[in-house]
Structure formats: structure tokens, C-alpha cells
Amino acid sequence: QVQLVESGGGLVQAGGSLRLSCAASGRTESIYVMGWFRQAPGKQRDMVAVISSNGPTNYADSVKGRFTISMNNARNTVYLQMNSLKVEDTAIYYCVAGTPVPGGGYNNWGQGTQVTVSS
């Protein structure tokens, strides 16, 4: 399994920026995808951005052009650069990682970090 620890959350004014980091440990060599989900109050948890170990990325429509996901060369740390933040970006952000397991999916989750955007 893989352990994930997020950092970088906080309070920011609308229009500002934050950079989230997620450090992975354990069997990181088996990771084929990492990314970020978020859950706002009263809403379901949704995908924000993902990056495959070989490079391709994917973003939720709501964050395209504002957020950028990246991974270090060792493929054990993932980042989420969040620019032009909106109040509706307020949520708990969870780091996720996928490793080969029956059924697939994101089988490793971090503890979450709070992002609050004020108007």
C-alpha cells in the first residue's frame, strides 16, 4: 500500500492562489496515477485533477485553466497549483493514488486538507 500526506491548505481570498502538496511513501514504484479530489459541504466528493505516471493529465471542467497538477521525477510527490480561486472552490481536498489492485480505482487516500476561499 501507499501512504499519502497532504499539506498547503489554508484560507485565501477570492482571486488568490494556493499550492497543495502530497507526499507518498510505501510502494510508490507501483503508482500509476495520482490526483486530487474535493468535497464541499453538502456535496459529493468529486475529482479535481489527475496525472498519470507517464505524464497525461485530466481536469474537472470547473478548474480547467485555473489549476495545474504536476508530479516530481521520483513520482512520489504530487502538487496542485490553484490560481484564481473562487468561493466555490472551498472544500476539503484529498490526495489520491492508484496502484494495481482488483477492481482498480484510487485505492490510496490522504487525510485531507481544508481549503477555504473567502469573498
Side-chain angles (χ1 to χ4, degrees), residues 6 20 35-39 45 92-96 109-113:
E6 303 100 329
L20 305 183
W36 297 88
F37 279 63
R38 68 185 181 186
Q39 187 167 26
R45 185 151 51 189
I92 300 174
Y93 284 70
Y94 297 90
C95 180
V96 300
W109 293 75
Q111 80 286 354
T113 185

Side-chain angles (χ1 to χ4, degrees), residues 65-85:
R66 300 189 297 119
F67 291 10
T68 302
I69 190 169
S70 60
M71 184 182 292
N72 68 347
N73 289 334
R75 297 184 292 183
N76 59 7
T77 306
V78 67
Y79 307 93
L80 186 67
Q81 178 66 47
M82 305 186 294
N83 298 327
S84 302
L85 282 161

